[in-house]
Amino acid sequence: MVADGLAVLFCGINPGLMSAATGHHFARPGNRFWPVLELSGFTPRQLQPSEQRELLTYGLGITNVVARATARADELTDDEFRAGGRLLTAKVERLRPRWLAVVGITAYRTAFGDRTARIGPQERVIGATRLWALPNPSGLNAHWTAESMAEEFGRLREAAESPV
């Protein structure tokens, strides 16, 4: 779900078992990624995971830090995250999105070796691509509501829409 020159390349942690089975990102029904995209104004309606290709028409794409599917992200090792960070960096250098948005602050911190990163825009860049750490939309993340996530996603949308 990637293309050259996207406005935002969203980066999930890794595929869950349902995503691996269906081939669709953020496929588990309790995941709030798709509702939050609509609430934040990235999409005009709530897309279904099976409609993920439609994101490309909005200048958006999706990839993952780690390719291995697991039931829970905490089953991944730090080595997998670091290796995924290196692969992701190479992908971003090749595709040149305007923004890389990593959903999951722990994944961001581990993949990029930045233990002090906070949710929001980051100082780090990959070429001309800016980075943003977003809250994990998993239903297991009780610290963020869909509404508070939509506010943060909306901040990213505004940054992505502003002139360079």
Side-chain angles (χ1 to χ4, degrees):
M1 275 293 309
V2 299
D4 288 338
L6 295 168
V8 179
L9 177 58
F10 290 99
C11 182
I13 298 169
N14 74 309
L17 298 179
M18 185 169 288
S19 289
T22 64
H24 302 132
H25 291 272
F26 303 102
R28 188 170 183 80
N31 194 293
R32 297 170 289 180
F33 179 79
W34 299 105
V36 166
L37 279 188
E38 179 195 14
L39 289 170
S40 63
F42 272 113
T43 59
R45 64 180 179 84
Q46 183 177 325
L47 300 177
Q48 298 302 309
S50 62
E51 299 175 297
Q52 65 186 9
R53 286 226 164 275
E54 192 173 321
L55 287 178
L56 295 173
T57 66
Y58 303 118
L60 308 173
I62 307 177
T63 191
N64 289 301
V65 177
V66 177
R68 182 170 71 91
T70 60
R72 294 175 51 105
D74 61 8
E75 296 174 41
L76 300 170
T77 67
D78 287 355
D79 285 343
E80 286 177 292
F81 277 112
R82 286 189 288 271
R86 290 188 296 274
L87 292 171
L88 182 58
T89 297
K91 185 180 289 187
V92 167
E93 287 171 341
R94 187 177 78 251
L95 297 172
R96 300 178 319 276
R98 187 154 176 220
W99 288 92
L100 171 67
V102 178
V103 294
I105 189 65
T106 302
Y108 178 90
R109 288 174 179 157
T110 308
F112 292 107
D114 185 351
R115 298 173 61 116
T116 62
R118 302 278 183 255
I119 296 293
Q122 306 300 308
E123 292 298 318
R124 174 186 299 271
V125 294
I126 300 172
T129 300
R130 297 280 319 270
L131 279 67
W132 198 294
L134 290 169
N136 184 347
S138 166
L140 299 174
N141 181 359
H143 298 292
W144 291 78
T145 65
E147 292 74 20
S148 62
M149 274 188 242
E151 289 177 24
E152 188 61 32
F153 276 61
R155 289 180 56 218
L156 168 60
R157 182 187 50 75
E158 290 171 6
E161 290 175 350
S162 69
V164 177

